[in-house]
Amino acid sequence: MDDAPQSDALVDATAAAIRARIMSGDIPIGAQLRQAELAKTLGVSRTPVREALRQLQTGGLIEVVPHRGAVVRVPAPWDVRETYEVRAELEGLACERAVPRITRDGLDDLRKANEALRPGAIRPDGSSTVANDSFHTLIHGIAGNERLARVIKEINEAFPRNVSALVLQDNPRHREDNFAEHERIITALAADDAETARREMQAHVISAGEQLARWYERRSATVFRG
């Protein structure tokens, strides 16, 4: 009677492992996902891999292409813009909720995270992605709404996180804007200005989405779709 829960847990763990490799860029956008190779790499049979791929397809991270099978989805620029429009509203709400709850230590943590994103300090080792994600997740946690934080996390997992790091690395102007936008958010939070904090966060997320959409526009023509 315990076989089903164990099977579900194995599928979930397999899906998480594949998702992690996609999000890190180890499996790049447009890459074909071969069940036999994944099963060998992850040390499982093909059955949990097959079910895990179905799970990831439902979540929008992969798609099934005729004559190629499952591949890592290449997001359409319009999809990125629409997704980030929704994310902007949710992150704006989180930022507004954080205003009456944030402490001095919380502000110090945000400043520390953003310092790692200062133009000239970004290293091509993935640390910028960690710092940028940390800045936002700190605010999500301070906001005190687990459902809100969970929905934002689900939205973020629709796109490989390593691409966001590439966008920052490839565009010096965007690095400067990203750092300055974070600084304005911190200033609004420190000033107990909920309206400005929400507005600055919304503008910041919309700007990030536009940069990401443009990156996909430039890259999409070079990715073989079958």
Side-chain angles (χ1 to χ4, degrees), residues 112-132:
K112 182 178 180 180
N114 199 37
E115 192 60 32
L117 297 167
R118 181 181 291 277
I122 292 180
R123 301 189 302 273
D125 60 1
S127 59
S128 61
T129 302
V130 174
N132 198 63

Side-chain angles (χ1 to χ4, degrees), residues 173-185:
R173 176 63 182 274
H174 182 44
R175 290 198 297 271
E176 294 172 1
D177 289 345
N178 187 67
F179 178 81
E181 289 161 8
H182 282 181
E183 287 290 291
R184 290 198 293 271
I185 290 167

Side-chain angles (χ1 to χ4, degrees), residues 17-18 21-29 31-33 38 72 160 162:
I18 297 172
R21 294 188 64 197
I22 294 172
M23 297 299 278
S24 69
D26 186 31
I27 303 176
I29 58 172
Q32 188 172 0
L33 297 162
L38 289 170
V72 180
N162 74 302

Side-chain angles (χ1 to χ4, degrees), residues 129-156:
T129 302
V130 174
N132 198 63
D133 287 350
S134 176
F135 181 89
H136 287 267
T137 55
L138 280 168
I139 293 175
H140 304 162
I142 294 167
N145 187 315
E146 292 184 6
R147 184 176 294 275
L148 176 61
R150 187 163 59 249
V151 172
I152 294 173
K153 183 175 183 291
E154 290 172 356
I155 289 176
N156 285 340

